[in-house]
Amino acid sequence: MTDCIPLVISGAPRSGTSLLYNLFDGHSHVAWLVDEGYLFEYLHDLGPTGTAVFLDAMPNDMEHLVAGLRDRQVIPPLHEPYRQSKQRGSISEIEIAAHWDECAFRSALAKSRGDGVADLWRRLVLACLAGTGTPPKPFACLKSPDYGKSLRAATDLIPQARGIVIVRDPLHAIDSLKRSRELRGEKLLSWPQLALNIRAFQEMLERVDGAPQERVTWMRYETLIAEPDSAMRGLARWLGIPFEDCLLKPTMHGRNWPGISSFEPTNGIETAPAERPVQSLTGEEQALIRKHLVAFRERFGYDA
């Protein structure tokens, strides 16, 4: 596979995956797929023996194939305009519409199925790019804030795949998640969900440390927003791609994108999120996080 190499950006929710992802928009060596896609998360959850089941389950009938891809968001739903959530607590009402050619998408999708995950990935990406009228590039970038699941599956299943995990102090990431859900009034981070969230951070550490180290790197969110130039230059060197100005400007289809935060409009790379104190977590909840995420916080350089 000479192009469309998977470049998966992953991490925990509220840890900077959107910011890092939007910095790759427009790069000459990176095909950018706009929204989240869950192909590799499904493959991770199915496990090694379930990959063959997933591949065999894909129907030959085009209508059923496309319906499944979109219903489960196996690939980003590029046929629809990208929207930030309009629920209470989300600040962006902006809608970004891109060129979309459904016939070109389906024509590319109808080509040979191939035999494995790498062939499936390439087939899906080329169909997406055909739909948007975008030429293939060496890398195809996908964001999946699923605690490293997609990153691990991609690098395990496709030898050329690369992964970047962006990490944030769990105290602030979980606090941001709790606060955003309180604003929306749904899926509140009560104690059972908090326990699951803490365990998910533990599992992310296990996934990152178990991945092929030469093809996976990690970045602290706090470092990215404090030193964006050196951070993104380092990532470009690691990927073997040229540094370009777009790597310092979060955009959506080349347009400035103020929807990085759920709390207020953003203007480029901002340091304000790292300066906010913990606001929603109680003292008891903070102590619980510190107790059970000692290894995570030590591994990524946060105070224990």
Side-chain angles (χ1 to χ4, degrees), residues 58-289:
M58 294 184 66
N60 291 315
D61 178 80
M62 182 58 65
E63 292 304 320
H64 290 163
L65 174 62
V66 172
L69 292 175
R70 289 174 174 165
D71 177 59
R72 297 289 91 186
Q73 204 161 326
V74 174
I75 53 175
L78 304 181
H79 64 299
E80 298 177 345
Y82 180 86
R83 298 180 180 87
Q84 287 288 88
S85 171
K86 294 186 179 181
Q87 297 171 310
R88 184 167 62 90
S90 182
I91 55 87
S92 180
E93 298 289 336
I94 296 175
E95 177 177 292
I96 299 288
H99 164 80
W100 182 255
D101 186 331
E102 184 73 9
C103 290
F105 168 75
R106 289 173 179 251
S107 177
L109 194 60
K111 294 182 179 179
S112 173
R113 288 173 60 132
D115 297 324
V117 173
D119 291 324
L120 171 59
W121 165 256
R122 180 175 170 80
R123 179 189 180 196
L124 296 178
V125 169
L126 290 178
C128 288
L129 298 181
T132 58
T134 305
K137 297 180 181 180
F139 288 98
C141 190
L142 188 68
K143 178 187 77 166
S144 301
D146 57 6
Y147 300 95
K149 287 183 177 182
S150 291
L151 175 147
R152 183 62 190 270
T155 54
D156 282 350
L157 295 169
I158 299 180
Q160 300 94 334
R162 307 290 283 274
I164 305 170
V165 60
I166 183 165
V167 298
R168 185 181 185 185
D169 187 336
L171 281 171
H172 292 276
I174 297 174
D175 180 68
S176 179
L177 182 63
K178 182 180 181 182
R179 190 155 52 99
S180 67
R181 291 184 176 183
E182 288 171 346
L183 286 171
R184 290 180 169 86
E186 62 173 22
K187 298 181 180 178
L188 298 180
L189 203 69
S190 57
W191 67 265
Q193 188 63 39
L194 176 60
L196 290 174
N197 202 255
I198 290 172
R199 178 54 186 149
F201 270 90
Q202 294 172 332
E203 291 174 334
M204 181 166 71
L205 177 59
E206 295 164 6
R207 293 183 191 111
V208 172
D209 283 345
Q213 294 302 296
E214 70 280 4
R215 291 188 287 115
V216 171
T217 191
W218 62 272
M219 173 181 289
R220 289 180 15 142
Y221 169 72
E222 295 84 356
T223 301
L224 173 61
I225 61 176
E227 305 168 10
D229 188 88
S230 61
M232 294 309 294
R233 287 182 185 275
L235 279 185
R237 286 193 298 271
W238 180 73
L239 288 168
I241 62 176
F243 178 82
E244 297 176 0
D245 288 344
C246 67
L247 292 176
L248 297 177
K249 301 173 184 176
T251 57
M252 182 77 72
H253 290 308
R255 296 167 56 182
N256 289 332
W257 182 245
I260 298 298
S261 171
S262 288
F263 305 113
E264 57 188 359
T266 53
N267 182 21
I269 300 174
E270 297 186 344
T271 59
E275 298 164 358
R276 295 191 191 109
V278 173
Q279 299 178 36
S280 294
L281 292 173
T282 67
E284 185 179 14
E285 289 170 335
Q286 293 180 53
L288 185 71
I289 292 168

